[in-house]
Amino acid sequence: MTHEPVLLCEDRDGVRTLTLNRPQRKNAIDAELWAALADALRDTASDRSVRALVITGAGGAFCSGADISVPDNSHPIYRMRALTDVAILLHEIPQPAVAKVTGVAVGAGWNLALGCDLVVATPESTFAQIFTKRGLSMDLGGSWLLPRLVGLQQAKRLTLLAETIDAEEAWDLGLVTWVVAADDIDEFTTDLGARLAAGPPVALAQTKALLDDGADATLREALAAEARAQGLNFATADAPEAFAAFAERREPRFTGRWTVRRPPIGTGHESENGR
C-alpha cells in the first residue's frame, strides 16, 4: 500500500502551494509532517523560481494543531526543536507567504497561519489558541506574534481563555487579512499569489524584512535599514524597469536581476587572491 505524502507541493507560475495532507486528523501535524514542512520551507527559501508561497490544508480544514494523539517518547526539547525550526524558517523565507484557511486553525495550526504574511479565510473558518485547554502553553511563535498583532490584553484573552472565535471576529482583531466566500477562496488566493509572484522579488523580500524587524527597532535603526535596503533595490533591474513601464504606460516585468558588474580582471581593483 502506497503511503500518501503528508505534505503536497505544487509549483505553478512562480507560486508554490504547500498543502498539509492529513485530512483524517484535520491536518494535525505529527513528527513526519513537521520534518516535511521544515524541508519544504528550506527549499522554498533557496529557490529563486518561487516568487510567492501559499500554505493550506486538505479536506476542508487548515490545521488542528500539533498531533498529540501519537505517542512520542523523545525528550520534549527535541520535539520542540522541530516546531522551532518551522517557525523560524517560515518567518525568514524571503518570499511573501499566504495562509489559505478553510475550516479550523487551532493551536500551532493557527500560529502557523499567523506566521504567514497574509491570511485568507472563509466565513466558516474558526480559530483558537487552544493550548491551555490541553494543559499547555502556546508555541510556534504565538507568544511573539499575537501581542504584535492584537496588543497584550487581547493576546492574553485569546490564550488564557482559549476561546474559539469566528472569521469575522478574527478579521475585526486584525488576525485575518481577508474573509472570502468558500466558493471563491480558491480563485481569490490564486489571483493573490499571481499578484505577489509578479512583484519585484528583491523589493518584496526587503519590505517584508523591514516590517518584521521594524517592530523591535528604534527609528534610527529602521531608517538605516531602509537605506541599506534601497541600495540593494537600486542595484537590480527592477527599479529602472518600473520607471520605464510607468513612462510607457505598461505593466512592469520584474526579475530581481542584479545589474552591478564586477570590474574586469587586470584593472587593479581585484584582491590579491584574484577574487
Side-chain angles (χ1 to χ4, degrees):
M1 183 174 178
T2 303
H3 177 61
E4 183 77 9
V6 295
L7 184 68
L8 306 178
C9 180
E10 179 186 21
D11 290 342
R12 180 177 298 177
D13 299 327
V15 179
R16 173 165 292 173
T17 300
L18 300 178
T19 303
L20 311 181
N21 190 37
R22 300 185 73 224
Q24 73 282 4
R25 298 288 304 157
K26 293 187 178 180
N27 302 313
I29 309 178
D30 63 359
E32 183 183 6
L33 184 47
W34 284 122
L37 264 173
D39 288 342
L41 290 171
R42 286 190 193 94
D43 182 70
T44 298
S46 62
D47 190 339
R48 285 187 292 176
S49 70
V50 179
R51 304 276 288 266
L53 174 68
V54 174
I55 299 179
T56 191
F62 182 74
C63 178
S64 58
D67 193 344
I68 59 175
S69 70
V70 179
D72 189 342
N73 295 322
S74 62
H75 195 288
I77 196 170
Y78 300 121
R79 299 203 299 270
M80 291 308 300
R81 187 173 295 164
L83 279 70
T84 299
D85 287 347
V86 168
I88 291 175
L89 286 163
L90 180 58
H91 179 74
E92 292 184 349
I93 60 169
Q95 300 93 336
V98 178
K100 176 184 171 185
V101 178
T102 58
V104 298
V106 173
W110 190 8
N111 291 337
L112 180 68
L114 294 178
C116 295
D117 304 299
L118 303 167
V119 180
V120 186
T122 71
E124 296 77 22
S125 302
T126 56
F127 306 86
Q129 293 286 331
I130 202 168
F131 299 97
T132 58
K133 288 186 177 180
R134 302 290 183 260
L136 300 169
S137 52
M138 58 204 310
D139 56 30
L140 208 72
S143 64
W144 189 89
L145 290 162
L146 271 177
R148 284 164 171 75
L149 292 168
V150 300
L152 184 58
Q153 201 168 68
Q154 286 291 349
K156 288 181 177 180
R157 170 215 154 192
L158 290 168
T159 55
L160 297 178
L161 297 175
E163 296 175 332
T164 297
I165 64 173
D166 61 19
E168 181 179 358
E169 184 171 1
W171 187 84
D172 287 340
L173 288 169
L175 296 168
V176 166
T177 321
W178 297 277
V179 178
V180 180
D183 290 343
D184 299 330
I185 192 169
D186 288 345
E187 181 179 356
F188 182 92
T189 308
T190 297
D191 177 69
L192 176 61
R195 289 163 59 194
L196 291 169
V202 174
L204 289 180
Q206 295 300 309
T207 299
K208 174 177 173 175
L210 287 168
L211 291 171
D212 285 342
D213 297 340
D216 299 315
T218 66
L219 175 59
R220 287 183 178 275
E221 290 168 341
L223 288 167
E226 289 173 359
R228 290 191 296 270
Q230 290 295 41
L232 291 175
N233 295 326
F234 280 116
T236 73
D238 289 343
E241 165 64 10
F243 300 155
F246 177 78
E248 298 166 13
R249 298 184 180 182
R250 60 172 175 82
E251 291 296 317
R253 295 179 290 274
F254 294 123
T255 63
R257 183 170 57 84
W258 184 252
T259 56
V260 176
R261 296 181 180 178
R262 293 180 59 185
I265 300 297
T267 62
H269 295 289
E270 65 273 10
S271 62
E272 290 182 3
N273 61 9
R275 293 183 180 180

